[in-house]
Amino acid sequence: MSIDEGLRSELSRQGIFTTTLEGLYNWGRRNSVWPLNFGLACCAIEMIAASMARFDLARFGAEVFRPSPRQADLMIVAGTVTKKMAPMVVRLYNQMPEPKYVIAMGACAISGGPFKQGYNVLKGIDRYIPVDVHIPGCPPRPEALLHAFMTLQRKIDAQKLSGSDRARHFDAQAPSEFPIPQYGQHDLEPPRNEAVWRPPAMRRGE
Amino acid sequence: MRLNSTTLRNRSDWSGAVPIRPEYGWKIGWNGGSRASGIQTVTGTRTTHMQASDHPYLFLAVFLVVAVIFPLVPLGLARLWARTFSPPKPGPVKNAIYECGVESKGDAWIQFKSEYYLYGIIFLIFDVEAIFLFPFAVAFTNLTIGAFLAMMMFLLLLVEGLVWAWQKGVLTWK
């Protein structure tokens, strides 16, 4: 960032548009996010509605739902993640190329939702993969998904190309694959990925 | 002749070809014929310039160079970008064959039942036969007896094949 904001706005007032490589890169990235064509439960119906003409996700450049993870940038975890399905979700996420983003859509995907007490329900997909945007709601309306998508766009816009706080996919050492849980006798093994999610610590007497 | 709306409306002007002005001729003629010499007469000063007619395949060489450079430049730039900003991160799961989330078991190179192949080839024969049967049916009433017999022979050969396949038990799915 070599050009200061005052000079930039002055130039743009004179009709000269200036940008940075980072800004150009992020602008392109955020306006051509291809979601994975992947739904788990009723939230997927709202996701489909969001992609159709009435709510029109295409306005944000994200209408190209890809049936293959190898062509997708964004995974919208739309619905209840059962423990049986969790390894598949993580495997699909691992097969997506970097840079990749995750929107956890709906109460089930972020916490287990109304099925939280069920023996077979994962209590939030963020236990295994890094989630960028959480949307509450049961199910969230398409507008909520659009809001989540705009939030993700703002997040992509703020990503750095270089430096120590650069985005994960620019860092050769940062992980791209996350461990896939196995079916254990009573629960998934391991029950969570400690590098991604830790149970909230409860401290008494405060 | 200048082409304007008046001359275009007058159909008698269309009979003759519109003359090509010589300075619009190709600089590199593919046969080095009249067009290249047309440049010569119009400009008049290019006598020392290399004539395209001396190297009739020169434009192929130019095209070849452009055709190689044109895709290589963006590919090289993309490679450079990837090396600097987008380190590849392959892994066993990412490089797995199957991509629907379910782990693939066994080898993709398996033997497939050959029954389907026989079904397919018999279907193909009678599919092609149907193409011949349609014109045969349309022209049936005014065919000569020779053409009729030839068609019947063709049908007989195919039916014979069907009977053979039937007797071999190909048509029963096991």
Side-chain angles (χ1 to χ4, degrees), chain A residues 20-67:
Chain A
T20 56
L21 187 62
E22 187 179 282
L24 204 63
Y25 177 82
N26 288 339
W27 172 77
R29 275 260 163 247
R30 83 175 140 86
N31 287 313
S32 67
V33 174
W34 289 10
L36 184 61
N37 195 349
F38 173 68
L40 289 170
C42 21
C43 281
I45 305 297
E46 301 295 317
M47 180 178 78
I48 294 161
S51 71
M52 288 290 121
R54 188 178 179 89
F55 297 99
D56 202 10
L57 196 57
R59 289 175 291 165
F60 304 91
E63 76 279 17
V64 194
F65 278 77
R66 304 312 295 177

Side-chain angles (χ1 to χ4, degrees), chain A residues 33-151:
Chain A
V33 174
W34 289 10
L36 184 61
N37 195 349
F38 173 68
L40 289 170
C42 21
C43 281
I45 305 297
E46 301 295 317
M47 180 178 78
I48 294 161
S51 71
M52 288 290 121
R54 188 178 179 89
F55 297 99
D56 202 10
L57 196 57
R59 289 175 291 165
F60 304 91
E63 76 279 17
V64 194
F65 278 77
R66 304 312 295 177
S68 166
R70 301 195 206 280
Q71 303 167 354
D73 304 311
L74 167 67
M75 174 185 257
I76 302 175
V77 184
T80 319
V81 187
T82 57
K83 284 175 183 170
K84 187 133 187 168
M85 197 65 191
M88 282 80 156
V89 178
V90 179
R91 193 173 287 116
L92 284 176
Y93 178 76
N94 285 346
Q95 287 180 345
M96 283 163 63
E98 291 277 6
K100 48 190 173 185
Y101 308 97
V102 178
I103 291 177
M105 181 181 182
C108 295
I110 66 177
S111 69
F115 313 112
K116 189 181 174 71
Q117 307 304 324
Y119 68 97
N120 61 337
V121 173
L122 186 71
K123 289 143 192 69
I125 191 62
D126 52 1
R127 289 170 185 234
Y128 290 112
I129 55 179
V131 175
D132 293 284
V133 185
H134 297 77
I135 331 172
C138 185
R141 283 193 52 85
E143 292 95 332
L145 182 58
L146 293 185
H147 182 227
F149 193 77
M150 289 158 75
T151 310

Side-chain angles (χ1 to χ4, degrees), chain A residues 25 68 70 91 170-171 177, chain B residues 81 85 89 91 94 96 99 101:
Chain A
Y25 177 82
S68 166
R70 301 195 206 280
R91 193 173 287 116
F170 296 129
D171 189 354
E177 290 190 17
Chain B
W81 175 273
F85 288 112
K89 295 175 180 175
K94 203 177 202 174
E99 50 192 35

Side-chain angles (χ1 to χ4, degrees), chain B residues 49-104:
Chain B
H49 200 272
M50 189 177 67
Q51 281 290 300
S53 55
D54 296 341
H55 303 278
Y57 291 106
L58 184 64
F59 82 105
L60 270 185
V62 172
F63 276 4
L64 198 69
V65 170
V66 172
V68 169
I69 289 174
F70 191 73
L72 277 187
V73 167
L75 280 176
L77 283 176
R79 194 63 183 268
L80 205 66
W81 175 273
R83 176 171 295 198
T84 319
F85 288 112
S86 177
K89 295 175 180 175
V93 178
K94 203 177 202 174
N95 294 344
I97 302 165
Y98 211 36
E99 50 192 35
C100 84
V102 182
E103 209 172 3
S104 57

